[in-house]
Amino acid sequence: MSDTPFGFGLPPEEPENGDEGKKKDPAGGGQGSGGQGGNPFGANPFGFGGLPGMGGPGGADNPFAAMFGSLNPNDLGAAFQQLGQMLSYEGGPVNWDMAKQIARQVVAQGTADGTKDASVGPAEKSAVEEAVRLADLWLDQVTSLPSGANTAVAWSRAEWVEATLPAWQQLVDPVAERVGAAMGDVLPEEMQAMAGPLIGMMRSMGGAMFGQQIGQAVGALAGEVVGSTDVGLPLGPPNRAALLPLNIEAFGKDLGVPSDEVRLYLALREAAHQRLFAHVPWLRAHLFGAVEGYARGIKVDTSKLEEAVGQLDPTHPEQLQEALQQGMFQPEDTPQQKAALARLETALALVEGWVDAVVHEAAKSRLTSADALRETLRRRRASGGPAEQTFATLIGLELRPRRLRDAARLWASLTDARGVDGRDGLWEHPDMLPTATDLDDPDGFVHREHLDFSELDKMLGEAAKGDAPEDGDGKE
């Protein structure tokens, strides 16, 4: 996964540093020695190094020579192809076609351990289907929510990318729109008045830059996720439990746990998520609405962006990336934004905590490794695992892992106090769910709510007696 959120890194298919990439354009608009290898856009990541007033050293008669003069013919062809894709884009704030292309390229390159993606074979498909089937049987005994998976599928990494991109688009577009607007505002007023087509060109290139960064992140995540719900959100198509056999094998490699137990435990988690998303009709909109509400309150620190652009050394374009890495996303310190953040964190914690509690109840007496697998997954989340890191990169949000344990304890306490039906009944409406404050005191919520229900029943009973007539005529 890339470390640069919405940065200006290089597309993965570009050539590595070579002799040609180290040459400096005589006109001064090409790559300097401090540039990044074969960047087809020259030293200026916006690609306007040779235009007067655009950060180039003195301008140039031919801006295309300034941009591409240092490249050999093969590199020049790739550069024009990339530039054409950028300038021809007329969609939203993110070029999702480019995102998918780059994500697929990242997947094809394989993971750091040398594992390459591969099509899923019949035996692996059968194993996943059997694991999900058995998982649903076990979950029937520990939750009142029926099965939410009509089908069980085994995905390759590339198939995960294809299936989840629509959800990533819904998550990322609201933030990308705010960042794109902030980038346009960085231009000086006098330049905005005469820029005209240049503004549109920058937006097209900005959409491609977003697409590149998101594609890199999603492609990297595809090499690590084990299913379609690793971030606690329904990323895949509805009613479809999905597991990635290749990544499950890598996940369980050093755990000392039989592979069939690892697969079954992860199938339990995937199937439990599917039950929630299928039978709590408001939950998906609630989660994605919480993300969008949080995104509306994000501000981009334009002062840092302006400073980075104003002081940009054309021979060191990485300075702009460094400036963006140091804190481009800044949540508004307002009551509304704090409420949006609490709503999002609490919603995700409640989903993950319910899954954690229900899966543990189903597995603890059947899988000898249940406790170890549960703790491994909890630590993976608490240590900033791939799902959390990618979510933070794309949305600008750091989730608090401690909420998972608090929520799991709350759901377990509710099971003891009210039983399975009483616990799962809280999902009937979002207003019935615990709040962020309740996660700080799970036992208090359980007992307080239990007493409230009892008092309500008593009050209703007394009211009914008070309204009843004393004799058959209805006369007092």
Side-chain angles (χ1 to χ4, degrees):
M1 180 174 57
S2 172
D3 293 329
T4 309
F6 299 126
F8 305 93
L10 302 180
E13 70 271 24
E14 292 173 0
E16 296 179 355
N17 285 356
D19 293 337
E20 294 295 330
K22 296 177 182 177
K23 292 179 180 178
K24 197 172 186 178
D25 178 43
Q31 288 172 266
S33 58
Q36 296 185 21
N39 185 349
F41 308 112
N44 189 325
F46 289 100
F48 304 112
L51 298 180
M54 293 302 296
D61 294 334
N62 186 341
F64 289 100
M67 293 164 65
F68 304 119
S70 66
L71 300 176
N72 63 38
N74 292 334
D75 294 344
L76 187 62
F80 273 115
Q81 182 180 6
Q82 289 288 321
L83 183 63
Q85 289 178 336
M86 286 187 169
L87 299 184
S88 64
Y89 177 68
E90 297 180 352
V94 179
N95 187 332
W96 287 101
D97 290 336
M98 178 170 284
K100 182 167 94 170
Q101 174 188 348
I102 290 177
R104 293 293 298 263
Q105 290 172 353
V106 173
V107 165
Q109 292 171 1
T111 51
D113 62 1
T115 304
K116 298 285 187 179
D117 193 22
S119 299
V120 179
E124 292 172 317
K125 291 181 180 179
S126 178
V128 167
E129 291 171 356
E130 177 60 23
V132 172
R133 185 194 66 80
L134 184 55
D136 263 336
L137 288 176
W138 290 2
L139 289 172
D140 283 339
Q141 302 173 37
V142 295
T143 175
S144 61
L145 299 180
S147 174
N150 297 334
T151 57
V153 294
W155 282 341
S156 66
R157 294 166 178 170
E159 289 171 325
W160 183 89
V161 168
E162 295 278 353
T164 62
L165 272 180
W168 287 117
Q169 181 173 356
Q170 188 174 353
L171 288 168
V172 172
D173 272 352
V175 178
E177 288 175 359
R178 295 191 64 82
V179 176
M183 289 172 61
D185 293 341
V186 169
L187 287 175
E189 290 185 10
E190 61 274 13
M191 186 176 295
Q192 291 185 23
M194 57 182 248
L198 182 59
I199 297 278
M201 185 184 300
M202 289 184 65
R203 286 175 179 170
S204 296
M205 295 186 69
M209 292 173 185
F210 282 115
Q212 172 196 326
Q213 192 63 44
I214 293 165
Q216 290 173 343
V218 172
L221 185 59
E224 298 168 318
V225 294
V226 295
S228 70
T229 54
D230 284 41
V231 297
L233 294 169
L235 296 180
N239 306 115
R240 184 175 300 177
L243 296 176
L244 282 71
L246 185 61
N247 293 353
I248 290 176
E249 180 182 357
F251 171 79
K253 184 177 180 181
D254 299 321
L255 296 181
V257 176
S259 59
D260 57 341
E261 287 199 19
V262 174
R263 184 191 307 111
L264 183 51
Y265 192 86
L266 296 175
L268 282 165
R269 290 183 53 82
E270 177 74 10
H273 277 104
Q274 294 299 331
R275 289 184 181 229
L276 266 185
F277 297 135
H279 298 292
V280 182
W282 53 265
L283 183 56
R284 178 186 173 89
H286 181 75
L287 289 169
F288 281 82
V291 173
E292 186 174 353
Y294 178 79
R296 284 196 298 268
I298 289 177
K299 63 180 179 179
V300 179
D301 192 344
T302 55
S303 63
K304 288 187 178 181
L305 205 53
E306 290 172 357
E307 182 180 357
V309 172
Q311 299 180 2
L312 182 63
D313 181 349
T315 63
H316 295 283
E318 68 276 5
Q319 291 176 355
L320 182 58
Q321 284 184 295
E322 293 172 359
L324 297 177
Q325 286 177 335
Q326 291 171 1
M328 184 168 62
F329 294 111
Q330 299 292 333
E332 293 275 8
D333 189 19
T334 64
Q336 293 82 1
Q337 180 65 355
K338 290 178 180 178
L341 177 59
R343 177 174 172 239
L344 176 56
E345 289 182 336
T346 303
L348 289 172
L350 290 174
V351 168
E352 289 296 280
W354 184 89
V355 168
D356 180 272
V358 168
V359 167
H360 181 68
E361 186 65 24
K364 65 181 182 181
S365 62
R366 296 181 174 96
L367 297 178
T368 57
S369 57
D371 289 338
L373 288 169
R374 183 191 201 189
E375 189 59 29
T376 296
L377 286 164
R378 282 182 164 187
R379 290 182 178 180
R380 190 187 193 207
R381 299 292 299 276
S383 63
E388 288 79 11
Q389 291 174 4
T390 297
F391 197 67
T393 298
L394 299 184
I395 306 299
L397 172 68
E398 291 284 352
L399 300 178
R400 290 177 290 174
R402 69 180 180 86
R403 301 282 82 180
L404 167 60
R405 293 182 184 267
D406 294 338
R409 188 165 65 251
L410 183 147
W411 290 118
S413 297
L414 282 169
T415 306
D416 294 338
R418 302 188 197 173
V420 168
D421 291 341
R423 176 200 66 198
D424 294 346
L426 290 178
W427 290 106
E428 291 180 2
H429 192 277
D431 291 344
M432 298 176 64
L433 291 176
T435 65
T437 302
D438 295 325
L439 290 182
D440 294 326
D441 183 18
D443 293 334
F445 172 82
V446 172
H447 296 304
R448 181 176 68 253
E449 289 294 299
H450 182 70
L451 290 175
D452 285 347
F453 281 125
S454 299
E455 289 298 321
L456 181 60
D457 290 340
K458 182 179 178 181
M459 291 171 61
L460 290 175
E462 292 176 350
K465 290 179 181 179
D467 292 338
E470 295 186 357
D471 56 39
D473 296 332
K475 300 177 181 179
E476 293 184 1

